[in-house]
Amino acid sequence: SGSAVTAITFTSLDLDAHLDYVIEVETLGAAGSNLFSIYANNDQTATNYRSQLQNGTGTTAGAEAANNARIGYSHDELRGKSVIHVGYSTGRYFMAISTMLRQTASTTFYSEISGVFKTAELSANLTRLDLVHSTSSGFEVGTKARIYRRQ
């Protein structure tokens, strides 16, 4: 039930007190192939982040690097799952690492390992995370997102 959404927000986080967070996202994507990004503390300026990914489908492999916060991908009303680990590197440098598997057709799959880091140290504790889809209402009804913390 419910409606499709463009963003999924987690608030009242406390990364200074926790070892890290793990987010599980089971996606059902909007029509077309579209990405989603992860943002720290409501800073949604894409150029404040850097991303790197390696991917593959069948026997084809690829890689990409960009100034953005791209952490996952959904595809044409097919299912996928991303597991995203969120934490700090030395100091309060925000980092997220994702592994993903998604359907590209009824019998083919696409896998990806991606990472995002914020190019400047956070000035305060991480208390909010946003997953923002590149397509309006891109997280279709049926998408599930859960967050877990490690002490």
Side-chain angles (χ1 to χ4, degrees):
S1 68
S3 301
V5 297
T6 303
I8 299 168
T9 300
F10 300 99
T11 59
S12 301
L13 304 177
D14 185 355
L15 190 55
D16 284 357
H18 302 125
L19 179 61
D20 64 10
Y21 291 99
V22 176
I23 304 169
E24 291 182 356
V25 184
E26 296 174 18
T27 57
L28 181 59
S33 298
N34 301 290
L35 60 91
F36 60 93
S37 299
I38 187 166
Y39 296 107
N41 287 345
N42 204 29
D43 177 359
Q44 295 187 18
T45 303
T47 55
N48 288 343
Y49 299 84
R50 188 86 182 129
S51 68
Q52 173 74 44
L53 67 91
Q54 295 82 41
N55 57 44
T57 184
T59 59
T60 304
E64 175 183 313
N67 285 333
N68 61 37
R70 179 201 184 291
I71 196 71
Y73 211 64
S74 62
H75 185 73
D76 219 1
E77 301 182 6
L78 297 173
R79 303 202 175 273
K81 182 167 185 173
S82 296
V83 178
I84 306 165
H85 295 265
V86 175
Y88 293 141
S89 184
T90 308
R92 279 194 177 140
Y93 283 92
F94 168 79
M95 299 186 87
I97 301 164
S98 173
T99 54
M100 179 191 67
L101 180 66
R102 69 174 169 81
Q103 218 177 346
T104 56
S106 62
T107 60
T108 59
F109 293 88
Y110 171 93
S111 62
E112 179 177 291
I113 298 171
S114 57
V116 170
F117 69 89
K118 197 161 184 325
T119 56
E121 189 170 11
L122 296 178
S123 59
N125 183 21
L126 178 82
T127 59
R128 174 179 169 150
L129 289 169
D130 294 287
L131 300 176
V132 180
H133 208 283
S134 62
T135 301
S136 179
S137 300
F139 292 115
E140 289 280 346
V141 173
T143 295
K144 298 175 187 172
R146 294 177 288 280
I147 190 166
Y148 306 94
R149 71 172 190 218
R150 292 194 313 155
Q151 296 284 19

